[in-house]
Amino acid sequence: MNRFFYYSLLLVVVALTNSCTSNKYATTNRVYKKQVRAFAKLLREYPISDSFATATPWVGTTNFSMRRPSLVVIHHTAQKSCDQTLRTFTLPRTAVSSHYVICRDGTVHHMLNDLLRGHHAGVSKWGGATDLNSSSIGIEIDNDGTEPFSPDQISSLLRVLGYLKRAFTIPQSSFVGHADIAPGRKVDPSRRFPWQTLAQNGFGYWYDTTGVKVPEHFNALQALRIIGYNTANEKNAIQSYKIHFVPQDTTSLLTETDRKILFSLVGKYQ
Ligand SMILES: [Zn+2]
């Protein structure tokens, strides 16, 4: 076989291999691009055609920017593999998505432009804010909900979080779990999720109860509310707080230790 023929054959094989791997989501990628083009067209319009109409001539301000995400919500997929999650997020009938999917081996799939609205939060509330899909970035961690999170996965997650924090100036308090914003409805990421490691890296806060003396008048439920929890149902709010901060305790009772933890936390989240 002469050298030219050999290299030509090699090129064909490489091209075929690439097209096979990149074609798996070619159809849904076209759907994504078409949808983004439609949104871009809407953005290019002056006051959009279905907005509040006045008879006065349009005067466009010169001072504006894109809306930006201000919260990061972390999930576990409760699925068996990253492939299964990618499939779920590319089937229109599921109507669910997230901006990022992080596989067990640390691979990061960025599935949606950070400036667009994902469908990951559902009915949820954090502080006074509702419709959290509109203000947040969703990150799905490939995990079945019972297994530990892999070190490769957590190190990729920390890199993604670092990028998001810098890009959108997201405050340290605004890195939360799905369970935090949807008490009684969601329990992800599971009790095995390393929130303390995240806090040590500047994403969310952790507590220090060393030498903490809780004042008698301290109201633990009010502290939960100040941190951000929806306390409309107290038991559910306490359960979500425990999943995040006291994962070894599966009760929904506030103990003296919890009062110390909450007293320590509220000062940071306030
Ligand atoms: Zn979730």
Side-chain angles (χ1 to χ4, degrees):
M1 192 187 300
N2 77 41
R3 190 172 286 183
F4 175 75
F5 181 73
Y6 173 77
Y7 282 123
S8 306
L9 190 67
L10 194 68
L11 277 176
V12 168
V13 170
V14 168
L16 278 176
T17 314
N18 281 344
S19 70
C20 286
T21 50
S22 64
N23 264 354
K24 192 169 172 191
Y25 291 101
T27 309
T28 53
N29 283 349
R30 272 198 295 278
V31 174
Y32 177 95
K33 284 181 187 166
K34 191 174 166 211
Q35 186 66 52
V36 168
R37 270 198 299 273
F39 289 142
K41 186 167 173 278
L42 193 65
L43 272 178
R44 277 198 302 273
E45 288 179 28
Y46 303 126
I48 56 173
S49 47
D50 63 350
S51 69
F52 182 72
T54 67
T56 53
W58 177 66
V59 180
T61 177
T62 53
N63 316 318
F64 58 96
S65 50
M66 297 287 283
R67 291 182 192 269
R68 297 187 306 183
S70 56
L71 184 76
V72 174
V73 180
I74 297 166
H75 306 253
H76 72 230
T77 58
Q79 293 198 315
K80 290 190 183 69
S81 69
C82 232
D83 268 353
Q84 193 186 358
T85 303
L86 297 185
R87 253 196 319 278
T88 303
F89 289 172
T90 48
L91 286 173
R93 66 178 151 80
T94 68
V96 291
S97 62
S98 77
H99 296 81
Y100 297 86
V101 175
I102 303 182
C103 309
R104 287 170 172 80
D105 67 359
T107 304
V108 178
H109 292 279
H110 193 177
M111 298 190 75
L112 177 64
N113 187 311
D114 300 334
L115 297 172
L116 295 175
R117 185 176 184 272
H119 295 172
H120 61 96
V123 177
S124 48
K125 194 172 181 213
W126 188 243
T130 54
D131 184 19
L132 297 176
N133 277 332
S134 286
S135 57
S136 71
I137 296 278
I139 301 181
E140 287 279 358
I141 316 281
D142 179 31
N143 178 287
D144 69 5
T146 60
E147 64 191 316
F149 293 86
S150 86
D152 287 338
Q153 222 171 13
I154 297 305
S155 96
S156 291
L157 173 66
L158 292 174
R159 280 203 304 279
V160 173
L161 295 181
Y163 155 73
L164 292 170
K165 192 179 182 186
R166 278 192 305 278
F168 302 111
T169 329
I170 296 174
Q172 181 161 356
S173 57
S174 297
F175 293 82
V176 298
H178 202 186
D180 293 315
I181 62 165
R185 199 174 68 79
K186 293 290 172 182
V187 293
D188 64 306
S190 80
R191 292 174 188 266
R192 306 190 77 152
F193 189 73
W195 283 112
Q196 188 173 4
T197 306
L198 261 68
Q200 282 159 353
N201 284 276
F203 312 114
Y205 288 111
W206 203 246
Y207 54 86
D208 180 7
T209 52
T210 322
V212 163
K213 291 246 180 312
V214 182
E216 221 170 279
H217 67 268
F218 177 68
N219 183 331
L221 266 177
Q222 194 184 10
L224 282 175
R225 214 163 21 244
I226 291 168
I227 290 168
Y229 289 100
N230 176 3
T231 56
N233 180 313
E234 292 176 11
K235 200 167 158 259
N236 290 343
I238 295 168
Q239 190 199 34
S240 281
Y241 145 78
K242 297 259 191 187
I243 291 171
H244 188 132
F245 293 102
V246 205
Q248 67 279 11
D249 180 358
T250 53
T251 72
S252 297
L253 304 167
L254 284 179
T255 64
E256 203 45 47
T257 307
D258 292 314
R259 284 171 56 79
K260 276 189 183 171
I261 292 171
L262 286 166
F263 185 70
S264 163
L265 283 174
V266 80
K268 298 169 194 271
Y269 277 89
Q270 214 156 18

